Structure formats: structure tokens, C-alpha cells
Amino acid sequence: MALHRTGNLAGAEPLYRTLLERQPDHPDALHLLGVLRSQAGDPAEGASLIAGAIARRGNVAAYHANLALALKALGRFDEAEAALRSAITLAPGVGPLVALGGVRRAGGRHAEALAVYRAAQTIDPGDGAAQEGIAHAASELARMDSGTPASALTAYSRAFRLRPAAPFAAYNLALTLQKAGETEAAIPVFQAAAALDPAEPAVLSGLGLALLSVRHGDRTAAIRAQAILARVVRLRPRDAQDRFHLAEAAQAAGDADRAATAYKDTAALRPTDYTAWENAALLDARGDRLAALAVHAGGLMAAARAKHLFWKAPVYIAMHVANDRIAAGRPDAAKQALDHFRQAAADENRDLLPWIDFLRGSLLLRMPGDEAAENKAAGRAVLKTLVPALPFLRHVTFGDDFDALCRSVSPGERADHRAGFQSEPAAEGAGPLLFAACDDRYLRLFAAPLLLTVDAFCGEGQRVHLHIADPDPDIAEVVAGLRAPLRRCRLTVSTERTPPDLDPASRRTLYTCLRLMRAPDVLALHGHPPLVMIDIDALLPIDPRRLIDAMAPEEEAMLIHRPDSLDYLYNTISNGLIVLRPSDATLEVLERTATVLLHWQRQRSMAYFLDQMALIQGFADVERRRGAVGILPIEELGRRLGVSDVFLPFFDEKHRAGFTDQMAALTARIHEETRTVGRSEEERRATLTGLVRRLQAATPTPR
């Protein structure tokens, strides 16, 4: 027992076992060995031994309390609670009640845990453990949107007053202050916790990060944070997150070499950390450490090949590095960086060679100087050779090519295509027209959460149009079910049948293009109002009118717009959320984009990214003939509205097992949330964001 008390488990265990060999029924020995085994990481054996002690002497409260701890570690919460009730019966008091609160918290029953902690506090108002439990439970309830952050902060403040010499009490208060946005106030509390326990990594990490975040741009604070976080790394050398935090602090302090090393150390410990790989590559390129960049690119290619990262991650990182050098006025450095990534791909991951060469060809198209014309010709030649590997490149147009494609579609073909658009009469309503298109499967999966969310946030009479390709025979019943819960929205539905001879890949591509192909028909049906195009598999937790109101008078379109990126040929515009005012220019963009998409459909030549590429080229074509179209980059929207989560996309793993059931459960939760009265728009938006983020977190990493 003396060895056990001092933490020498390895010395105590054989003595307990020797005693039990001599006296197998000794209850205290069984109990204490069970406690030791639980402490040593074997709660299953611990629970078995303690249960044996109880079978021989069942009237000792400590036996039941320690059995509960072992059962709690095993996740057997109901049995643990029963054991604690036995302990409370034998010896009522604060300790077993606090332990019971801990079991309920571990089982996710935070409201019930809070009630038990408060009962313990009634017995002894000065008990710090009970107050700490109240604070933990209040914090969990606030996180789950069933409590208030202020109550958790008050509880942690009281726990700290009751236990001013306990490092964890100070740490918990500091952490809660930080979560509440009071980081400046948290710093002295973190410092108090660090003074009480100067070797506790969590406390030091909290202090370093608080200094780094609250005094952003203060190099002295960053240097101090770097020193503190370096201590954390020495205390926890195998923790990747600590390395990442040290890298951030070193970067803020201006120590690029140390930051790059720390990012690489992070990637070595956690190969799945995309940001660590990217930041290290950027710092190598900015410091002209090309040999280091070459080694790093090789490791990155190998990590993607081993499926530690999304397969295309090295391409995105290579692009970001090259874009960074171009923006700094160093296209030569961008070329050198891409050359190193190409060699790394050749050595480690040949599947990515065409993508790196695509970036190199795009760079040639943008190279300035006396040889610009020759470089453009060379760039086009590179892209042409890549078409077999990257089929979407056959759809890239230059100069007047786009106009020629438009003219290749006869008026008769366009009229035949319009005749395939079968629609109800346009519903009367107000505000901009919200428009989404999909096939029958996506309608059933995603239309309900989208419509419920829009209905909860929009103004009265909001117009919504859904266009459905290849609907099943029961489409009328499905649409009726979608309309039934709507209170403000006015829904119009149209349908069409797609060509029966399309192969599956082309059909999927056509479904992604339908929004753009049918936008002119939909706008004409509704009298050309402002248009908000959205993915069917997304949520829009904001009144669509606010999107139009956020645009300046000269702005005709709002969309993701990346014309300066090396992947601009297929990714200048992302089609997630597009807002258009019905100007002559935007109407012509839509008309000509739809015409070119019809050309490619007629040619049965459709590849992924086709919808984005057609819209990119549609804007470029109209701008060549009319002049610049006023575009508001969608990244600016949140700043104008003061709202970060305007558009909530789902994710790409829609074919995995269990997805349909998860979406049905999410739809039910969204229905419940959007019907809850007495909550502000901000609270509802935060809850919806949390629901989508939790669903996204359950998605496996793409391979």
C-alpha cells in the first residue's frame, strides 16, 4: 500500500498478487489490486477484481465507488451509476455524488449531471470538486445550445475562487474566458495556472496561443509565445498539434526558418495535416530554399500516394506556391517551384504529372515579357497534349473559339431544346428568384432541407424554382410533400427528359450543367427577376433579398471569382452560389453559356468541370465584346452582411453507406430547428451550421 500511494504501481502489483496467492479471498487485497489495474490502464481486470472484493465484503462504500470508476472507464455507465448508488447508500456524502455527476457527464447526460453536482453543493457549498462539476456540465450544455456560455463562465469563476491553488481550476477558467472571446482577460489567468504548474503542457500551450491570438501583429508577443510553445514541444515532443502551434508562433515572430522546420515536423508526425504541408512549402519558396522545397515536394507526393492526404493535395499546394510567387512579382520563382513539383511527381506519384504540367502550361500563358507571344503558343501546345489525360481541357477556348461554338448551334436546335422544358405556371411571389436544378435522386435527398431552411429565413412570398431532370412517375406526390410545410416560399417546378443515349458519366455531367442550360428559360418564365442560383445539396440560411441588397449598383454578378489563379481555365468560377442581376450583359452570359453547353451535349463530349468552364468562358466572351461585367467576389459578401455562414454546402461522399439515413435524420433536425420559436436568426444559423459541420465531420477523408 505504501508503494501504491507513492505511484510505484510496478513495485506494488507483485506484492498484492503474492498476498492473494496466500489469501485468495482477502477483500482489501482484491480491491486495491483492482484499483491498481484500473490505474495501469486495464479497467476490465480492475472491475473484475473489485467485484470479487464486493462479493466477499459488500458493505464498504469505497469498493463500490472504485468499481464505478472502472466501469466508467469501460463505458458501462448504467452499471457505474448503480455502483455509485450503492456507495451513496452505504456512506452518503459529497464525494460519491460528485463521482455520480462524472458518470452522467461521461454518458452525455449533462443536465442530469448538473442536478447531481448541485445536490452535492447543497451538502457542502464550499466543495471545489462539486463546483468544478457544475462548471463542466454548464459548459457542455452551452456547447450543445441548451445552456448559456455566461453560466459556464460564472461557474468556472466560482470554482477558481474556491480552489485558487489548483492549476486546473485556473486553467479551466482561462480556457472558458478565451472561448467567450475574452482572451485578453484570460492571459493573466493562464499565467496564474502556469505559475502553479510550470511543467503542464496544456497550461503553457493555452498561454502561448492566447498571447498569439489577442496581440495579433505584435512581434514581441509573438516572440514570447514562440518561447512558451517551444517549451511545450520539449515537454510533448510527439504531439503534432504542439509543433503546428510553434510553427505559427515562429512565423508570426518573423522566424521563417524555424517555422518551416516546425511545419515539416508537424507533417512528419501527422501526415494528414494539409495546412502544415502547404505552409512549409510556401515558406521554402518564399525563402528561395529550393533544395528544401524539392525534398518537401517529394514527401508531399509520397504522402498523397500513400493516401495520407487527398490524392490531389500536392497539385493544390503546388498551385498555391506558384500563385504566391506570381503575386510577389516572381514568375521565374513560380516556374522553378513547379519544376521541382514536377520532378517529385515523376519520382513519387506519376498520376499527378498531367496536373502539374497543366499548371506549367497555364503559367506559360501568363508569362510576361518580350517572349509572351511565344510562351502563350507553348502553353497552348502543352494543354493540347494533356487532353487525353485531362479530358476537360478539350473544352478550353481561346480568342473567338467560344463565339464559333455558339454559332454552331442553329436556332432550330435551340428551339427544340427549349421545347423540352416543361414547367408549371410561375408562382407569384416577391424578391429574387432562388433557382436549383437536379435529378430525381438529389431532389429526394436534398430538396427538403434546402426548402425548409430558405422558408425559415426568407421574407413572405419568396420565389423558388426547382428544375428536375428525369423525374420518377411519383414526382407529383414528391413535390406535394415538399410544398406542404412551406409557409413563406412560393415553389415552381419544371422538368425535362435528358437524351437516353448518354453514358453514365456524361449524364452526371449533364445534371451539373442543367442550372446553366435552363437559367434563360427559367428567367423568361418568371419575368427576368434577379437570380440566385444555388446547389441543391446546400443550405442558404439567410433571406435571399439580402444577397441582392449587398450588391452595389454597378455590380451585376456575385460569385466566386479567381481570375488570378493558375487553375483559372476551369476554376475561375465555382458554381456553388451565383447571384445575377438581369442586366443585358448577364442575360447574354447565360444565353451564350447555355448555347455552348448545348453544343457539347449535342457532340456527346461532356467532361467534369464543363459547367464551370462554360460559364467562365461565357463571361470572358461577353466582356470581350461588351466590356467588363461588374463582379462582386463572393468572399466579400460575408463582410458586407456581417454574416459568415451565408451558404452551407454538404460534401462529396454522397454514395457512401448510410448517407441516406443520415440525411433523413438531418432533415428532421432542420425541420425541428426551423420551427422552433423565440430564437434569433443568428442562433438558428449557428445551430444549422453546427448540424452541417457535424455531418461533414462524420464523412471519411476522400481517397
Side-chain angles (χ1 to χ4, degrees), residues 548-562:
I548 302 299
D549 293 343
M551 299 171 69
E554 69 276 7
E555 291 166 344
E556 301 165 271
M558 176 167 58
L559 38 80
I560 291 175
H561 194 227
R562 305 186 185 99

Side-chain angles (χ1 to χ4, degrees), residues 166-183:
F168 61 85
Y171 172 72
N172 286 332
L173 174 57
L175 208 59
T176 308
L177 284 165
Q178 191 174 41
K179 289 177 181 176
E182 299 182 32
T183 308

Side-chain angles (χ1 to χ4, degrees), residues 641-663:
L641 295 178
V643 176
S644 57
D645 294 304
V646 171
F647 173 76
L648 303 176
F650 292 117
F651 44 80
D652 296 329
E653 296 293 318
K654 301 178 180 72
H655 300 286
R656 64 183 173 85
F659 177 79
T660 301
D661 292 339
Q662 282 190 305
M663 279 304 305

Side-chain angles (χ1 to χ4, degrees), residues 133-148:
I134 289 171
H136 290 324
S139 178
E140 287 296 326
L141 289 170
R143 187 181 65 81
M144 295 166 59
D145 298 321
S146 50
T148 63

Side-chain angles (χ1 to χ4, degrees), residues 433-459:
L433 177 66
L434 185 70
F435 174 43
C438 60
D439 67 335
D440 187 89
R441 176 175 177 265
Y442 270 33
L443 177 80
R444 295 167 192 268
L445 272 176
F446 299 112
L450 172 61
L451 290 172
L452 287 169
T453 303
V454 173
D455 196 60
F457 286 85
C458 70

